[in-house]
């Protein structure tokens, strides 16, 4: 291990374990390493770098998609998702539990945040299913698992961050995430179906059948959401709008939806904007810190050193990717997904690309892997969201999410064995 | 001392209001851009440039307020095993470390803005905006973060709760 890499590893452990905020830790390590090993004007380099990242045009989509999610979070979307989807799943084994999966998949298509997806869908489904006698463990597990789909289905904030850091097309990443996202949702539904057939006591009875008129009425409640999804995703994929324009259209659509529901008061707008600012500030600090550290590491030659070190171990591409999978799974137990991406990417991406992997594929692989970090204790944001909704302990919710975590591992293995799952769609659309 | 903390909180909230205004302006500007380019074949010449400046304000002006809301990410895995008094001390030490770091960064970005003013640097977009203006907003944003850290440190010294949490969609 080289001097700079040793120093960075020690400082990173010290700062993070000591409780220094992740963004500050990244800045501090970058500054200390450059001051120690390089004879440059670090303050000028730092100021230029912060200015460059803070005004990077490719990041403009970030606040817009967050704003859209915040607006929709405050509408009656969660109620509409439940009443719109419930009549269509009553015959499936597992019944209303599928609303968790389908609701999260739909909300994920209009929100980039996994925690927002979990909170929006969970705040209505948990109460409804509990009152009907569904098993608490299955309710929480399915919600925890399905909430993470928000990372894969576009517009996804982690995919935007990955695209900016890896300097690859965000649209390609958005397209690449669709098939794995839908496969993951299908796998969750199949699992729920099997468990419900094996243990029927875990779910409630189907309840009375509904008329076609009622079903159509229920579906009409979903119409605005479906329109919004079509507008955003359709405009991007059909080439009518860039990702930024699609995000602006999304904000407009969400605002119209909120206005129709009478959710456009000054107070709600203020809280919506503050919610957006809070999330953007959190991401901004980590992202600029990571971009600075990544450039500092490049100046110190660390990615090359690590790549040479790994190369000398003569690992095959398959072994390398399996090692990375375990590395990210372990890291996910201690760090949140976003921090994991920004801190490791400067080192891991060159390795993976040198081993012959497609950076778009690696983005999807990475996102699925860090999705698990959302539902593994002690730092899993979705666990905290579900805790606030159910009142159960983090460990109990995490235990309920274990089977769904296992399904995600299965998806990662599928992605390794069949990389076309992520690469086929972007290649065929482009 | 409580009055000082209150004033610092108000200043940080003012920073969040600037960020919110930036967010609103960005959304409105880009919605107008989509409409004008689609239907009137007209593109606002400042749209790309100013979206970057608005972004800088959105990402940083509310950072001090976000800190007070407990919105920035930190790893508490080891700290949860420390007893309350030790935890407060560790928090105070890390808040001081963060404050030193942020003062350094603030001085670097402020100097950058001053340098642009002295050199008369302007943007390479048609508007030829003097760069020191948006850079000064960025420097001001880092000052808000400094003040947020000062408020946090004072709270810890006085034995008050260091931050508060509200409904959050944080990733």
């Amino acid at each position: 291990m080289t001097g700079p890499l040793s120093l960075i590893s020690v400082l990173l452990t010290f700062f993070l374990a000591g409780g220094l905020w992740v963004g500050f830790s990244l800045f501090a390590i970058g500054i200390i390493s450059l001051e120690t090993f390089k004879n440059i004007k670090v303050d000028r380099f730092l100021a230029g770098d912060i200015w460059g990242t803070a005004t990077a045009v490719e990041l403009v989509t970030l606040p817009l998609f967050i704003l859209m999610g915040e607006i929709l979070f405050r509408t009656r979307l969660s109620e509409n998702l439940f009443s719109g989807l419930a009549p269509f799943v009553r015959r499936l084994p597992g019944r209303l539990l599928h609303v968790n999966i389908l609701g999260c998949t739909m909300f994920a298509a209009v929100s980039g945040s996994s925690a927002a997806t979990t909170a929006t869908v969970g705040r209505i489904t948990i109460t409804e299913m509990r009152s009907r006698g569904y098993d608490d463990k299955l309710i929480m597990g399915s919600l925890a698992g399905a909430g993470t789909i928000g990372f894969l289905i576009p517009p996804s904030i982690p995919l935007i961050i990955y695209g900016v850091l890896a300097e690859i097309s965000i649209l390609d990443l958005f397209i690449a995430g669709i098939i794995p996202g839908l496969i993951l949702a299908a796998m969750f539904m199949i699992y729920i179906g099997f468990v419900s057939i094996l243990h029927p006591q875990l779910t409630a009875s189907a309840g009375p059948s509904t008329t076609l008129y009622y079903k159509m009425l229920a579906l009409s409640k979903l119409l605005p959401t479906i329109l919004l999804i079509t507008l955003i995703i359709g405009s991007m994929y059909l080439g009518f709008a860039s990702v930024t324009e699609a995000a602006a259209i999304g904000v407009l659509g969400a605002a119209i939806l909120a206005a129709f529901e009478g959710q456009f008061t000054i107070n709600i707008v203020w809280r919506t904007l503050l919610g957006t600012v809070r999330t953007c500030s959190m991401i901004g600090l980590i992202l600029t810190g990571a971009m600075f550290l990544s450039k500092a590491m490049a100046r110190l030659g660390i990615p090359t050193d690590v790549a040479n070190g790994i190369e000398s171990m003569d690992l095959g591409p398959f072994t390398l990717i399996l090692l990375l999978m375990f590395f990210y799974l372990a890291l996910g137990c201690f760090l949140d997904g976003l921090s994991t991406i920004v801190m490791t990417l400067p080192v891991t991406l060159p390795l993976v690309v040198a081993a012959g992997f497609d950076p778009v594929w690696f983005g999807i692989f990475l996102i699925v892997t860090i999705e698990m970090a959302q539902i593994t204790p002690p730092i899993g944001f979705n666990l905290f969201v579900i805790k606030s909704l159910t009142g159960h302990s983090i460990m109990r919710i995490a235990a309920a999410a274990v089977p769904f975590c296992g399904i995600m591992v299965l998806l990662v293995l599928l992605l390794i064995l069949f990389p076309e799952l992520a690469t086929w769609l972007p290649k065929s659309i482009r | 001392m409580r009055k000082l903390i209150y004033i610092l909180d108000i200043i940080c909230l003012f920073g969040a209001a600037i960020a919110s205004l930036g967010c609103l302006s960005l959304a409105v500007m880009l919605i107008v851009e989509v409409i004008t380019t689609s239907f009137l074949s007209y593109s606002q010449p400042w749209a790309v440039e100013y979206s970057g400046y608005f972004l800088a304000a959105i990402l940083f002006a509310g950072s001090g307020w976000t800190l007070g809301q407990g919105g920035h990410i930190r790893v508490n895995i080891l700290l949860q095993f420390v007893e309350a008094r030790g935890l407060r001390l560790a928090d105070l030490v890390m808040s001081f470390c963060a404050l030193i770091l942020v003062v350094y960064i603030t001085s670097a970005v402020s100097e950058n803005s001053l340098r642009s003013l002295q050199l008369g640097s302007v943007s390479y977009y048609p508007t030829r905006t003097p760069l020191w203006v948006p850079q000064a907003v960025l420097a001001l944003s880092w000052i808000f973060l400094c003040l947020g850290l000062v408020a946090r440190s004072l709270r810890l010294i006085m034995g008050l709760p260091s931050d508060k949490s509200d409904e959050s969609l944080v990733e």
Side-chain angles (χ1 to χ4, degrees):
Chain A
M1 208 187 265
T2 58
L5 185 57
S6 309
L7 180 73
I8 286 177
S9 308
V10 170
L11 287 177
L12 193 64
T13 312
F14 172 73
F15 284 140
L16 290 181
L20 187 64
W21 292 263
V22 174
F24 294 146
S25 302
L26 300 173
F27 272 119
I29 295 162
I31 293 167
I32 295 170
S33 313
L34 284 178
E35 290 282 10
T36 312
F37 297 105
K38 282 276 166 188
N39 188 20
I40 58 166
K41 288 190 173 177
V42 179
D43 56 342
R44 284 196 181 192
F45 177 57
L46 173 71
D49 191 61
I50 291 175
W51 175 246
T53 307
T55 54
V57 178
E58 53 276 31
L59 273 177
V60 166
T61 48
L62 199 71
L64 294 177
F65 279 130
I66 293 171
L67 178 61
M68 183 178 74
E70 285 279 349
I71 295 172
L72 291 172
F73 179 70
R74 289 174 171 83
T75 62
R76 278 194 290 273
L77 187 61
S78 56
E79 288 87 342
N80 292 346
L81 278 176
F82 185 83
S83 54
L85 292 170
F88 295 95
V89 294
R90 57 179 293 280
R91 286 184 189 280
L92 296 177
R95 298 189 180 92
L96 289 181
L97 288 166
H98 294 291
V99 175
N100 268 349
I101 314 296
L102 294 171
C104 284
T105 310
M106 281 189 80
F107 190 77
V110 286
S111 165
S113 157
S114 142
T117 304
T118 310
T120 309
V121 176
R123 72 181 172 187
I124 189 88
T125 58
I126 289 173
T127 321
E128 290 287 341
M129 281 191 263
R130 272 181 167 175
S131 68
R132 287 170 169 84
Y134 282 80
D135 178 55
D136 238 20
K137 211 174 149 189
L138 259 182
I139 299 174
M140 292 188 298
S142 57
L143 183 63
T148 64
I149 295 174
F151 273 7
L152 269 179
I153 302 275
S156 153
I157 291 164
L159 277 179
I160 297 174
I161 304 285
Y162 176 85
V164 171
L165 288 170
E167 295 177 359
I168 54 173
S169 158
I170 290 167
L171 185 58
D172 277 355
L173 286 167
F174 277 3
I175 297 170
I178 292 180
I179 291 179
L182 293 178
I183 289 176
L184 188 60
M187 282 160 75
F188 285 157
M189 289 178 76
I190 291 168
Y191 171 75
I192 289 172
F194 269 118
V195 171
S196 307
I197 291 168
L198 291 174
H199 308 283
Q201 73 280 8
L202 299 179
T203 58
S205 61
S209 175
T210 50
T211 61
L212 185 67
Y213 169 75
Y214 181 79
K215 281 193 176 101
M216 287 300 117
L217 196 71
L219 200 62
S220 69
K221 290 184 178 173
L222 284 179
L223 210 60
T225 317
I226 294 170
L227 269 176
L228 193 61
I229 294 171
T230 315
L231 203 67
I232 299 165
I233 298 186
S235 62
M236 274 192 295
Y237 296 163
L238 295 175
F240 292 131
S242 66
V243 179
T244 310
E245 286 166 343
I249 294 169
V251 172
L252 181 65
I256 292 171
L257 218 77
F260 268 112
E261 288 187 4
Q263 306 282 328
F264 221 65
T265 61
I266 297 276
N267 183 31
I268 293 178
V269 171
W270 172 238
R271 283 170 56 204
T272 302
L273 287 170
L274 280 183
T276 308
V277 165
R278 181 180 157 144
T279 308
C280 288
S281 300
M282 178 273 286
I283 295 175
L285 191 65
I286 293 184
L287 191 64
T288 41
M291 294 288 262
F292 173 67
L293 179 60
S294 132
K295 281 175 194 135
M297 287 205 290
R299 285 197 167 221
L300 296 166
I302 290 173
T304 320
D305 287 348
V306 174
N308 291 340
I310 300 275
E311 205 176 328
S312 66
M313 290 162 76
D314 208 19
L315 298 172
F318 189 71
T319 319
L320 173 71
I321 218 73
L322 273 183
L323 271 178
L324 282 178
M325 185 180 92
F326 288 118
F327 169 70
Y328 279 115
L329 285 178
L331 215 56
C333 294
F334 306 101
L335 283 172
D336 69 285
L338 192 68
S339 308
T340 306
I341 295 178
V342 298
M343 280 199 266
T344 58
L345 207 60
V347 174
T348 55
L349 185 66
L351 279 180
V352 170
V353 172
F357 290 98
D358 184 336
V360 172
W361 174 86
F362 183 63
I364 303 302
F365 163 87
L366 186 59
I367 295 296
V368 182
T369 318
I370 62 135
E371 270 184 345
M372 284 177 254
Q374 295 291 109
I375 53 173
T376 47
I379 307 160
F381 278 113
N382 287 15
L383 297 181
F384 291 114
V385 173
I386 297 173
K387 181 177 185 276
S388 70
L389 292 170
T390 62
H392 284 305
S393 71
I394 290 287
M395 290 316 286
R396 191 166 172 202
I397 303 165
V402 166
F404 294 87
C405 225
I407 291 171
M408 286 187 215
V409 175
L410 197 64
L411 179 66
V412 174
L413 293 174
L414 278 176
L415 278 169
I416 295 171
L417 292 172
F418 307 104
E420 296 79 16
L421 291 174
T423 55
W424 174 77
L425 199 56
K427 276 179 189 159
S428 55
I429 283 186
R430 281 288 156 130
Chain B
M1 195 73 99
R2 278 175 191 265
K3 200 166 182 178
L4 178 63
I5 294 173
Y6 176 74
I7 293 168
L8 291 173
D9 284 345
I10 294 291
I11 296 172
C12 288
L13 184 63
F14 175 67
I18 293 176
S20 299
L21 190 65
C23 189
L24 196 63
S25 309
L26 177 73
V28 171
M29 188 179 73
L30 290 179
I31 289 167
V32 170
E33 179 69 6
V34 171
I35 294 168
T36 56
T37 49
S38 305
F39 301 107
L40 305 171
S41 302
Y42 168 77
S43 174
Q44 305 163 87
W46 54 82
V48 175
E49 179 188 6
Y50 278 75
S51 57
Y53 302 152
F54 286 138
L55 179 70
I58 298 165
L59 292 182
F60 291 104
S63 230
W65 171 79
T66 303
L67 185 81
Q69 299 293 310
H72 287 300
I73 294 179
R74 64 198 303 204
V75 180
N76 288 321
I77 193 160
L78 287 182
L79 294 179
Q80 64 190 351
F81 300 112
V82 181
E83 60 173 273
R85 186 184 273 186
L87 185 67
R88 190 161 281 274
L89 186 67
D91 204 349
L92 189 61
V93 170
M94 282 304 164
S95 295
F96 273 131
C97 288
L99 185 59
I100 293 166
L101 174 81
V102 175
V103 167
Y104 177 88
I105 296 174
T106 307
S107 96
V109 291
S110 305
E111 275 176 26
N112 196 38
S113 172
L114 280 175
R115 221 171 11 253
S116 294
L117 177 65
Q118 284 159 0
L119 296 171
S121 307
V122 292
S123 70
Y124 52 80
Y125 290 99
T127 53
R128 314 294 289 167
T129 307
L131 278 178
W132 71 269
V133 181
Q135 286 173 347
V137 175
L138 183 64
L140 184 68
S141 303
W142 280 93
I143 292 172
F144 291 139
L145 186 50
C146 278
L147 298 178
L149 280 163
V150 171
R152 183 186 175 85
S153 305
L154 289 176
R155 275 200 190 88
L156 285 165
I157 291 167
M158 290 180 67
L160 300 169
S162 54
D163 54 42
K164 50 191 159 192
S165 54
D166 63 355
E167 57 174 326
S168 158
L169 303 185
V170 170
E171 201 54 45

